[in-house]
Amino acid sequence: MTAIQLSENWTVSATGGPVPDDIAGRGIPAEVPGSVHLDLLRAGLVAEPFDGANEAEQQWIGDADWRFETTFRWHDDGSERRELVAEGLDTLATVTLNGVEVGRTENQHRSYRFDIGAALVEGENALRVDFAAPVPAAAARSEEHGPRPHVNHHPYNALRKMASGFGWDWGIDVAASGIWRPIRIETWSTARIASVRPLVGVDGGAGVLDAHIAIDRADALTAVPLRVEVEVAGIVRAAEVAAGATGAHVRIEVPDAELWWPRGHGAQALYDVAVRLDGDLDAWRGRVGFRTVRVDVAPDEHGSPFAVHVNDRLIQVRGANWIPDHAFVTEVDRDRCERRIGDATEANMNLLRVWGGGLYESDDFYDLCDEQGVLVWQDFLFACAAYAEEDWLAREVEAEAREAITRLSPHPSLVVWNGNNENIIGYAEWGWRARLGGRTWGEGYYRRLLPGLLAELDPTRFYAPGSPYSFSSYISPNVDTHGTVHVWDVWNAKDYAAYREWTPRFVAEFGFQGPPAWTTLVDAVHDDPLDPYGEQMLVHQKAQEGNLKLERGYGPHLPAPRTIDDWHWATQLNQAAAVRFGIAHFRSLAPYNTGTIVWQLNDGWPVISWAAVDAAERRKPLWHALKAVYEPRLVTVQPRDGVLAAILLNDADEPWSGVVVARRLAFDGAVLAEARVAADVGARGTATVALPAGAVLADDPAGEVLVVEAAGLGRTIHDFAEVVDQALDRDALDVVAAREGSDGAVRVRVTARSYARDVFLLADRGHPTAVVDSGLVSLLPGEAHEFVVSGAPAAVAPEAFASPLVLRHAGDLAG
């Protein structure tokens, strides 16, 4: 096989639509893979799309038709087959080679292979890809086939294109066109490997590999017998492929195979797999990890769980939802992906849910999850909308699902396939049924097509019809005693204290908003003066009544901000406090509750959102809260039977025994009461420790805290009152900042004179490139903590990181 990569000498030009005069008909240098927005930006023809209010000014791009063109040289090498392979065209494309139409596409989420033997010529060749404007096309298809309910303003459900690219309640509207994955010419003879599905299992200590190989023949009339060899762990097995046959199955047992485990449960043993077709005719390489997956949803005395087991061990899920990490997805390379997965693992996460309004992610994403032991829950790409099931859309849905299931089958990290995000509850409870008037809405995909394809192609993974889902057609999809739930009354309607009204078996979505880091925000928003309701600020706040919900959210908990600086700190702090509160409650219900997946880990552009890490890759206070509350060993104080109790969580292989020490302290450090209770927690277990009334009943809630410690397990500080009602000292800290050590880092040492709640260093406000190692540290009188700030140039004075706008704590919000 010979391949010619077509990544050079591309131009793009607008061929129709509301195109500005200075751009119409003009050939613009283009990058492939890429996007027309980025090509226009590099050429200086549009301003930075993320900046200010530029989003609205650039809507014409998604209303325009675009033509990508290149030339390449080809020499006839005598191969029988000549094909154009497009791994990703976004989205409605007509492909022409030397004036001959060779193919059409209408699905961003799949690849295409076109026979170009009749069009390819010796020497110079001209390739053209014409993209129809996606925004009017989606509207036209919706109207033609019958409008169906969807969130947001464009009918993205009428195209197989990344839904969030049309705008979301956290996402910019940049629906456009481009060759977004590699494109190449392939020539080959006799046969080639079309795909490999290396499915794994474990049987009596042996790893089992069932390799299913699909074969393309160059010419069915002259097909010859072939031989397929599969190698794993030094073991080679072969299968003969009869003349004309297009598939082979090879089974290999690997004695005493090392198992692949999720992080925190063991090592991530990975085995290389090599598949060879007739010697060197064609080859495929990949990796597998031997492990089993089971998700228990069987009815029990409480309802029905959602309990993920890997290698027959229950995994307490500590996860986050993953969205495309950049609005222009070709900007996400392996290094960026690795940094983002590092954000997850450093925050003690063991699962990422790839949300259905985004993409089937890059191979890099799944490879990195395999290596890091991060479990993957993968949505099929349906989100918050009703989808037509007629042939015009269904044929593309099936093609993309077949390809995605096959491509992702080697990855041990992938444990759950999910049919859709919120579409079943949309039909059941959001009034869709009446609006649809009998039109199809996607049920056939979720209940028949997708599970059928998994049964055919990869029965080793668990399939859920949707999220949320109760695993019954006769129970609300979002009831907390059954299956998975999404908790959105908190944020949309209720205070975060209402998380305790829920007793969920598994929480697949929940979260609270907050702004990005200060520098990320002001680099994109230039209102003067800066104001939560400024014109550009609102461009970067996509949630319905988002800023009003932020105000309503911090009202019961924090003093009203007096300045924009305080607003930024208060809303970031409240986001962190809300999610920390919710996760601590949900985790305290273990093993009844088996997991939480917070919305969301990451952002795709600078925006006020639910993310823990903003688009400039700065970790928000929420990230630090997640790291703390997702610790495998955790102590939390929760109400039980009308009184406070200590809940001990031990998600580790070693049991814990010791003494739980509960102290009620005044803010000046005086010990008002103390109690000691012996306790034991088994490996991967939990325990509830009743605390004496004298320790947990405050005489002065505004001036006291409860400190509960279990040496080797953790410490928690329980506040008897909200910040707004506490007598916190605005000047609670002694601060010393200095450059020390050979690493050039600034070390900011803070010592508490009185109780200091949620101390945080907004490092980017000291210098835009600075980052800090820790955050949201609560200190008792006399305690000290050292923040280590890296990334700041040597010219920046250490005192910059002791500024009142940089070093914050909850008490400094008081008037």
Side-chain angles (χ1 to χ4, degrees):
M1 179 182 291
T2 302
I4 302 173
Q5 298 296 329
L6 304 177
S7 58
E8 305 293 334
N9 303 316
W10 286 90
T11 61
V12 62
S13 56
T15 58
V19 182
D21 291 342
D22 62 333
I23 295 176
R26 177 176 177 176
I28 302 161
E31 287 192 5
V32 170
S35 168
V36 66
H37 277 85
L38 299 178
D39 297 328
L40 294 170
L41 179 62
R42 279 187 292 266
L45 297 173
V46 297
E48 164 58 56
F50 296 170
D51 193 58
N54 290 341
E55 177 187 12
E57 297 175 8
Q58 296 177 11
Q59 288 300 291
W60 65 269
I61 299 172
D63 291 333
D65 303 322
W66 297 95
R67 173 174 293 169
F68 286 77
E69 296 177 283
T70 191
T71 59
F72 63 93
R73 296 191 65 81
W74 175 78
H75 173 67
D76 189 350
D77 60 2
S79 296
E80 296 177 82
R81 294 292 296 269
R82 305 160 188 178
E83 295 174 333
L84 177 69
V85 181
E87 293 187 22
L89 299 177
D90 181 15
T91 293
L92 299 170
T94 301
V95 183
T96 304
L97 179 61
N98 298 322
V100 178
E101 182 180 316
V102 296
R104 294 188 176 227
T105 77
E106 51 184 80
N107 191 334
Q108 179 185 4
H109 305 308
R110 57 170 291 203
S111 64
Y112 292 85
R113 182 177 287 268
F114 302 118
D115 184 348
I116 56 172
L120 195 62
V121 299
E122 182 77 21
E124 192 84 356
N125 287 260
L127 178 63
R128 188 177 79 213
V129 184
D130 286 293
F131 290 97
V135 174
R141 287 184 174 211
S142 176
E143 188 63 30
E144 177 186 358
H145 298 289
R148 287 168 168 82
H150 59 84
V151 298
N152 307 314
H153 51 293
H154 295 303
Y156 59 85
N157 48 338
L159 277 184
R160 297 310 297 156
K161 178 177 170 65
M162 187 175 79
S164 60
F166 287 93
W168 215 261
D169 59 3
W170 42 260
I172 185 173
D173 182 355
V174 285
S177 303
I179 302 170
W180 76 286
R181 280 182 169 162
I183 186 168
R184 62 187 177 274
I185 303 294
E186 285 187 1
T187 58
W188 53 280
S189 295
T190 308
R192 71 175 193 92
I193 296 172
S195 67
V196 177
R197 288 179 289 115
L199 308 183
V200 302
V202 179
D203 186 5
V208 179
L209 173 68
D210 281 295
H212 301 266
I213 302 100
I215 297 168
D216 278 351
R217 300 274 192 172
D219 188 340
L221 297 177
T222 60
V224 297
L226 300 168
R227 178 181 173 85
V228 173
E229 288 185 346
V230 179
E231 180 177 1
V232 63
I235 302 170
V236 180
R237 296 286 185 270
E240 302 300 323
V241 184
T246 58
H249 170 224
V250 176
R251 182 180 178 88
I252 300 178
E253 291 191 7
V254 180
D256 302 318
E258 295 183 60
L259 297 183
W260 183 95
W261 287 97
R263 63 184 303 102
H265 289 264
Q268 289 74 52
L270 293 168
Y271 288 80
D272 292 329
V273 177
V275 180
R276 294 178 286 272
L277 179 62
D278 241 40
D280 60 358
L281 189 62
D282 198 6
W284 179 95
R285 293 187 177 276
R287 292 186 307 185
V288 299
F290 293 106
R291 55 98 184 96
T292 61
V293 175
R294 175 174 60 89
V295 180
D296 181 11
V297 295
D300 60 20
E301 68 273 24
H302 305 293
S304 55
F306 186 89
V308 178
H309 294 77
V310 177
N311 301 326
D312 292 323
R313 177 182 292 177
L314 175 65
I315 308 300
Q316 286 286 341
V317 169
R318 305 186 299 273
N321 283 268
W322 171 279
I323 65 170
D325 199 49
H326 199 287
F328 303 116
V329 295
T330 56
E331 295 294 278
V332 183
D333 59 12
R334 183 182 176 87
D335 287 344
R336 183 179 175 105
C337 195
E338 186 169 16
R339 293 193 299 273
R340 208 67 337 95
I341 291 174
D343 287 327
T345 58
E346 289 179 48
N348 296 304
M349 295 179 187
N350 59 15
L351 181 144
L352 291 173
R353 175 190 171 202
V354 182
W355 168 74
L359 300 168
Y360 304 109
E361 275 293 341
S362 67
D363 292 334
D364 290 333
F365 173 87
Y366 304 100
D367 285 342
L368 289 163
C369 288
D370 292 344
E371 294 164 9
Q372 297 297 318
V374 176
L375 299 175
V376 175
W377 159 327
Q378 176 71 55
D379 283 9
F380 287 101
L381 301 185
F382 305 93
C384 305
Y387 291 81
E389 297 175 43
E390 286 69 37
D391 182 67
W392 66 273
L393 195 64
R395 63 175 180 264
E396 289 296 333
V397 168
E398 178 170 354
E400 81 177 51
R402 283 186 175 277
E403 181 172 335
I405 292 167
T406 298
R407 177 171 73 92
L408 302 187
S409 64
H411 295 286
S413 56
L414 176 59
V415 293
V416 172
W417 277 103
N418 175 53
N420 69 84
N421 178 75
E422 298 187 340
N423 297 350
I424 293 175
I425 191 174
Y427 183 80
E429 298 184 6
W430 295 355
W432 289 5
R433 186 177 180 185
R435 292 167 59 191
L436 284 163
R439 290 190 295 274
T440 56
W441 59 277
E443 182 178 26
Y445 298 145
Y446 317 137
R447 299 195 188 278
R448 293 185 294 277
L449 175 66
L450 298 176
L453 291 176
L454 283 165
E456 173 192 345
L457 300 172
D458 185 2
T460 69
R461 266 87 176 189
F462 178 80
Y463 173 75
S467 183
Y469 193 63
S470 62
F471 294 92
S472 171
S473 298
Y474 304 100
I475 300 172
S476 166
N478 202 41
V479 59
D480 63 0
T481 51
H482 291 266
T484 60
V485 297
H486 293 189
V487 178
W488 285 116
D489 55 351
V490 173
W491 167 251
N492 281 314
K494 294 183 178 181
D495 178 65
Y496 69 70
Y499 279 131
R500 283 188 178 150
E501 297 175 5
W502 290 78
T503 55
R505 308 304 299 269
F506 190 102
V507 192
E509 240 188 64
F510 71 106
F512 210 90
Q513 258 203 358
W518 179 264
T519 303
T520 306
L521 185 66
V522 299
D523 279 352
V525 174
H526 315 293
D527 297 317
D528 188 15
L530 198 64
D531 183 87
Y533 291 92
E535 177 188 3
Q536 292 186 17
M537 186 78 84
L538 292 179
V539 172
H540 295 259
Q541 165 58 284
K542 297 297 185 184
Q544 183 179 12
E545 298 183 336
N547 284 350
L548 183 62
K549 291 174 183 176
L550 287 174
E551 293 171 12
R552 189 174 65 213
Y554 64 64
H557 305 282
L558 301 172
R562 297 159 297 165
T563 66
I564 188 64
D565 304 285
D566 281 357
W567 174 87
H568 178 261
W569 165 232
T571 50
Q572 281 204 327
L573 175 60
N574 200 56
Q575 176 188 34
V579 174
R580 179 175 60 192
F581 180 96
I583 292 177
H585 165 63
F586 298 143
R587 287 193 69 190
S588 78
L589 303 176
Y592 169 91
N593 174 278
T594 54
T596 58
I597 309 178
V598 68
W599 185 272
Q600 66 213 58
L601 175 67
N602 56 332
D603 258 337
W605 76 304
V607 64
I608 302 168
S609 84
W610 296 262
V613 181
D614 72 25
E617 306 189 60
R618 296 184 173 101
R619 292 170 172 176
K620 295 159 66 171
L622 172 59
W623 183 90
H624 294 271
L626 288 171
K627 181 180 181 181
V629 78
Y630 270 163
E631 283 284 354
R633 286 182 156 182
L634 183 73
V635 176
T636 179
V637 172
Q638 300 289 332
R640 292 293 186 267
D641 300 321
V643 297
L644 294 178
I647 312 298
L648 312 181
L649 299 161
N650 180 31
D651 193 9
D653 286 331
E654 300 78 27
W656 179 90
S657 295
V659 176
V660 177
V661 180
R663 292 179 295 150
R664 183 160 53 87
L665 303 180
F667 282 5
D668 63 3
V671 179
L672 305 175
E674 182 172 318
R676 295 172 176 266
V677 183
D680 301 283
V681 190
R684 307 291 173 183
T686 66
T688 299
V689 178
L691 300 175
V696 300
L697 296 178
D699 296 324
D700 176 18
E704 300 175 13
V705 292
L706 173 64
V707 182
V708 179
E709 295 179 87
L713 203 63
R715 178 179 99 165
T716 189
I717 298 177
H718 174 79
D719 293 277
F720 290 112
E722 300 295 338
V723 173
V724 69
D725 298 318
Q726 286 179 313
L728 293 166
D729 184 358
R730 283 181 53 84
D731 191 25
L733 299 173
D734 290 325
V735 185
V736 177
R739 285 192 186 271
E740 299 175 356
S742 59
D743 58 2
V746 175
R747 287 166 166 81
V748 181
R749 184 175 179 83
V750 298
T751 304
R753 290 194 297 269
S754 62
Y755 173 50
R757 183 172 177 178
D758 285 325
V759 184
F760 194 82
L761 197 150
L762 299 160
D764 66 290
R765 297 207 69 169
H767 189 274
T769 63
V771 295
V772 67
D773 69 326
S774 53
L776 291 185
V777 178
S778 290
L779 299 174
L780 301 173
E783 291 184 337
H785 180 80
E786 185 175 84
F787 295 99
V788 180
V789 181
S790 58
V796 178
E799 291 75 20
F801 298 99
S803 159
L805 291 181
V806 176
L807 186 62
R808 306 292 309 245
H809 58 94
D812 69 20
L813 289 167

